[in-house]
Amino acid sequence: DRAIFNEFSAGPLGQGQVQFSGVVEVGTLMFNNSPDFTFATGMTSPGKLTVADQVLYNGAGVLHLSGKENVYEFNTLHQTNGQIDVGTKLVIKPNNPGHSDAGTVTVGAEGVFRLRDHVNMYFDGPFPKFLLEGQFEGNGTIDLRGNEVGQFQNFGRLVPGASPGTIVIEGDYLQG
């Protein structure tokens, strides 16, 4: 099962939005040249979005993962360009260990990945990895300890947020 959002998936203002409550599960979530897009829940109900296989973001705008009590659980996340803005808990959990990139986040050279409001990003499972080729910015913690200590591989730019900007990396750090 797949959910695909492209340049025609946006609403009348050029922005798409999905609101959910409870648990929503999907195999692959793909954004292909989509404009700004927001995942959120209603004000009173927390939600959980589980993507069992992979999230592919090749967006032209910003993908907002928001909602104060929401949990986003992805097997793998691959971003080629555009911006991903995370304002709530993000868990990278290898639900599909057979997938070659299970437990991995990749931010391509043209991508910007942002943590807002001191958000925590957790990696669960064996051999977690964050591969940065673009830009990582904001304030928050990336916990790569999972079942084994993971690795943050930086071949791009780390840009802490507003003063005092803090990005905490729990795990091994490799500067490329």
Side-chain angles (χ1 to χ4, degrees):
D1 54 348
R2 288 182 160 205
I4 299 173
F5 301 94
N6 57 39
E7 62 265 12
F8 304 110
S9 300
L13 299 177
Q15 295 187 357
Q17 181 167 344
V18 172
Q19 288 197 345
F20 60 94
S21 60
V23 177
V24 177
E25 295 184 23
V26 66
T28 298
L29 186 60
M30 184 183 305
F31 296 86
N32 191 18
N33 293 320
S34 62
D36 289 2
F37 207 92
T38 300
F39 278 94
T41 62
M43 298 300 270
T44 59
S45 61
K48 180 178 180 182
L49 174 63
T50 299
V51 180
D53 196 17
Q54 61 185 335
V55 175
L56 301 170
Y57 187 69
N58 183 24
V62 180
L63 172 61
H64 300 276
L65 302 177
S66 61
K68 192 161 184 72
E69 300 299 320
N70 288 352
V71 175
Y72 295 91
E73 187 176 278
F74 300 157
N75 181 56
T76 185
L77 171 62
H78 183 78
Q79 173 188 10
T80 56
N81 61 0
Q83 180 176 311
I84 295 179
D85 187 66
V86 181
T88 188
K89 183 177 179 180
L90 176 61
V91 178
I92 304 299
K93 182 175 184 175
N95 297 312
N96 182 359
H99 190 277
S100 62
D101 288 332
T104 299
V105 171
T106 303
V107 178
E110 302 298 318
V112 175
F113 193 94
R114 175 183 294 150
L115 292 181
R116 284 188 295 111
D117 304 326
H118 300 282
V119 163
N120 294 321
M121 180 176 181
Y122 300 96
F123 286 73
D124 186 13
F127 308 113
K129 181 170 71 173
F130 194 113
L131 175 60
L132 177 66
E133 296 171 347
Q135 183 166 304
F136 184 95
E137 57 186 46
N139 291 293
T141 298
I142 303 168
D143 189 341
L144 289 152
R145 293 176 290 180
N147 293 346
E148 300 180 30
V149 174
Q151 194 171 74
F152 188 101
Q153 298 177 7
N154 183 12
F155 298 94
R157 292 182 32 195
L158 282 176
V159 182
S163 181
T166 304
I167 298 173
V168 176
I169 298 171
E170 300 279 355
D172 292 341
Y173 178 82
L174 173 67
Q175 179 67 47

